Amino acid sequence: MTGRKTVRAAWPLLAVVAATVLSGCGIRATEVPTDFGPAPSRAACQVAGGEVAEPEAGEFTAPVALMCGGRLVDVDRVLPLRERHAGDPVRMARALLEELGRTPADDEERAGFTTDVRKGLTVTGPGEGDPQGALRLGTLPENLSVFALAQIVCTVSGSPAAASDGSVVLGGPDDTPLRRYSCTDEVRTRPGTAPTPAQTVAP
């Protein structure tokens, strides 16, 4: 019995020693939830090295919202877009959608990043009678998964393709109704359960 008590008593000390050793080796500890909700994620949600490839002359980096650990996390990507086109909302939106539809790189996958946006999703500018800055997707926004819609809204909201207040006006093809979407903290932290706020835009 004495031996068992000694082992149990040593556990707290061993935990402290282990944490010290890990931090000394440069290994980032991951946060482990203690509640009894959804299964805790072990995703690091941080690309090893944390560095982005240097853009070529005229190119630039922009954050895209990827899924990781049940929430949205921004990852910097080099956009295949010249700097002189950065102020064009449609060009910017196309470049961002292209990145969202791309399979995460190996280091991003190892860190736990995924995307729910399908490859090849198209976007055009406002149609006849649409307000300036409206974006029309190749499919109805409500037909996207809740994760894909949240990714698109939260990615575009931080770019020149968004309105001055950070909202994003999206619609489907042709003359389908437009809606103004907002990226909130709730959407970023609970994209699967917190609906992306939207208001119908009057024609």
Side-chain angles (χ1 to χ4, degrees), residues 22 27-35 38-47 67-71 73 107-114:
L22 288 174
I27 300 175
R28 184 180 297 276
T30 55
E31 183 178 346
V32 180
T34 56
D35 60 14
S41 170
R42 295 182 180 276
C45 296
Q46 183 174 354
V47 179
M67 292 295 305
C68 190
R71 64 188 189 278
V73 180
D107 55 349
E108 292 173 342
E109 285 190 339
R110 285 193 294 269
F113 289 99
T114 62

Side-chain angles (χ1 to χ4, degrees), residues 188-203:
R188 282 190 169 276
T189 56
R190 298 188 294 112
T193 56
T196 305
Q199 295 179 330
T200 300
V201 177

Side-chain angles (χ1 to χ4, degrees), residues 6 48 55 59 117 120 177 185:
T6 302
E59 294 181 336
V117 178
D185 290 340

Side-chain angles (χ1 to χ4, degrees), residues 18-184:
T20 303
V21 171
L22 288 174
S23 61
C25 295
I27 300 175
R28 184 180 297 276
T30 55
E31 183 178 346
V32 180
T34 56
D35 60 14
F36 294 93
S41 170
R42 295 182 180 276
C45 296
Q46 183 174 354
V47 179
E51 297 179 355
V52 181
E54 288 294 326
E56 297 180 3
E59 294 181 336
F60 60 96
T61 61
V64 296
L66 300 182
M67 292 295 305
C68 190
R71 64 188 189 278
L72 296 183
V73 180
D74 285 340
V75 175
D76 286 334
R77 291 274 183 83
V78 177
L79 299 186
L81 188 69
R82 293 297 175 182
E83 224 170 86
R84 64 178 180 275
H85 297 142
D88 186 325
V90 179
R91 284 178 181 264
M92 174 62 72
R94 284 174 180 162
L96 293 172
L97 282 184
E98 182 178 335
E99 289 301 312
L100 286 173
R102 183 163 64 85
T103 300
D106 291 344
D107 55 349
E108 292 173 342
E109 285 190 339
R110 285 193 294 269
F113 289 99
T114 62
T115 183
D116 221 42
V117 178
R118 63 178 177 82
K119 184 178 181 179
L121 180 61
T122 59
V123 60
T124 59
E128 185 177 354
D130 290 346
Q132 185 178 5
L135 299 171
R136 288 197 171 276
L137 303 175
T139 187
L140 292 172
E142 52 265 37
N143 287 345
L144 298 170
S145 71
V146 291
F147 299 107
L149 180 58
Q151 282 184 256
I152 293 171
V153 171
C154 287
T155 296
V156 177
S157 68
S159 78
S164 57
D165 61 356
S167 62
V168 182
V169 177
L170 294 177
D174 303 322
D175 57 352
T176 53
L178 294 168
R179 291 184 177 180
R180 186 179 298 276
Y181 295 86
S182 300
C183 176
T184 63

